[in-house]
Amino acid sequence: MAERPHEKRLNRPPMMKFREGKRSNNNAHRSFSRQVSLETGVSKLNKAQNEIKSLPRSGRSFSGFASSHGVDANVKKGDFNMFRTKSTLSKQNSFMLPLRKDSGVNQFHKNGEEGVGLLDETFDKSVPAGRYFAALTGPELDQVKDTEDILLPKDKKWPFLLRFPIGCYGMCLGLSSQAILWHNLTKSPATKFLHIPPYVNLVLWILALIVLVCVTTTYLLKCIFYFEAIRREYFHPVRINFFFAPWVVCMFLAIGAPPMIAQKPLHPALWCAFMIPYFLLELKIYGQWLSGGKRRLCKVANPSSHLSVVGNFVGAILAAKVGWNEAGKFLWAVGFAHYLVLFVTLYQRLPTSVALPKELHPVYSMFIAAPSAASIAWEALYGEFDGSARTCYFIALFLYISLVVRINFFTGFKFSVAWWSYTFPMTTISVAAIKYAEYNTSVVSKGIALTLSFLSSTMVFVLFISTFLHAFVWQTLFPNDLAIAITKTKHIKEKKPMNLKRWARKSFVSITKNNSADKHTLENDQ
């Protein structure tokens, strides 16, 4: 007699029943897990989000690495050692290995994986020029944006050498150019009626020499102990131009040397000692401008780039003093050609150039430095202030007037050492005005020369007093140099988890709108 189907199921072995029961339980669990309500899932997700605590950005970590991954932010070894000369790449890697191991973070973040990518960086890689523009702001690109974090702690004072910027050579530029100005005021036939004693030139020259020695010694110590900071300043789009400043200052001191010190004509070896390092650095920078790449001129051009051009005209003046006129003419031609290119690039403000800030600032006084120095160099090389020299002088005079009428835009900025570098353009045009007054002996030309000289000397005196007060009274002259502590790459922020409740609400609204729109269209068609 054939068995019925339900009797066959009853006569199955117990092992089969156990397996079927286990399978049915799994299926029931899966179906149950799929049938969890949307509100329950949202409540669970919100509860998990509330349990996650975010730590504030203190700047102690490597751009939030320690705060977001549980690394101790008080590790003293990682604060400033990364900028020390003895902290090589191997030592940096050995220091970061235990941090990776303890924090449980993988060494590499690839294929779109989220997380902080600081540990992927190597210290032998330069900071891209575009990274400075993306992370920094301000007329000198010295302020970190709010969306950025830095490698060094913000809440404590850094070592003095790390806070000492190369922009301090601006003080040397201002004082040494003043020595040249008062040398011309003493010697020029156009200003003989003032009867200025030569001791003013001597005092300014000695003061400029002392400041140059102090700044150079301090910066050499920075090169010895914090070479990574020097590298970062070298790749900074603005501060790279101040590497020309030491050699320009030395040429200024040679040109404006008092008669009681430089009784004999200058030796050509002096010109070679100052101009050869400048020329080698010039080849490097101009090559980057010409060959293109990430540091082409339209990408890194800013008003301080005139420092890399002015030295050619100053070198031409010194070449004329040592008797090498042909070398001076060569430098004048090179400087004038690159000045025209730089002037046009800065004037038209290419869309790809983000170096120029929106607000006006004394940094724009750098525009008048090159044409003023060009006019003085032409007079020194050819022995007369002819049409070419006057053309350069009139261009500089017009730019000077266009800046003076906007004096109200130059207020409201915090004092910094970089302001010193904007005094020597005012001094240079004052010297050019004195030279012009020698060949055009009129009351107007002499009045312009004296007015410009008075404004230049007054500005230097005000900055000297401000520097003294900030350095010795208020002790705020050298704040933390945040610009050198930016990261090499933009860190990838972790994606926020999806808010299911908000997504469901938006989806419902969009579906309702679509249905109402379709209904309205259907009614119109009928």
Side-chain angles (χ1 to χ4, degrees), residues 359-372:
E359 64 272 9
L360 290 176
H361 191 268
V363 68
Y364 288 93
S365 64
M366 299 291 288
F367 277 92
I368 65 179
S372 303

Side-chain angles (χ1 to χ4, degrees), residues 33 69 103 244 272 296 356 458 464 476 478:
S33 62
H69 294 88
S103 59
F244 293 96
C272 295
R296 60 184 180 272
L356 286 176
T458 303
F464 185 81
T476 57
F478 299 110

Side-chain angles (χ1 to χ4, degrees), residues 13 26 68 133 206 236 261 307 312 378 388 391 417 452 459 490 502:
N26 291 337
S68 59
F133 293 131
I206 294 176
H236 193 285
I261 294 179
L307 272 174
N312 292 284
W378 186 275
S388 299
T391 300
V417 180
L452 296 179
M459 179 63 68
K490 180 70 175 179
R502 183 182 301 174

Side-chain angles (χ1 to χ4, degrees), residues 169-182 200 203-205 207-208 211 252 365 400 415-417 419-431 451-469:
Y169 277 104
M171 295 186 291
C172 307
L173 287 171
L175 293 174
S176 58
S177 59
Q178 279 292 305
I180 297 178
L181 173 62
W182 286 90
V200 179
V203 172
L204 289 172
W205 191 86
L207 180 60
V211 174
F252 275 161
S365 64
Y400 189 91
F415 173 80
S416 64
V417 180
W419 281 52
W420 273 96
S421 60
Y422 314 139
T423 59
F424 90 92
M426 300 176 64
T427 306
T428 307
I429 193 174
S430 302
V431 176
T451 302
L452 296 179
S453 301
F454 173 76
L455 292 176
S456 173
S457 300
T458 303
M459 179 63 68
V460 171
F461 178 75
V462 171
L463 289 180
F464 185 81
I465 297 299
S466 300
T467 304
F468 181 83
L469 293 176

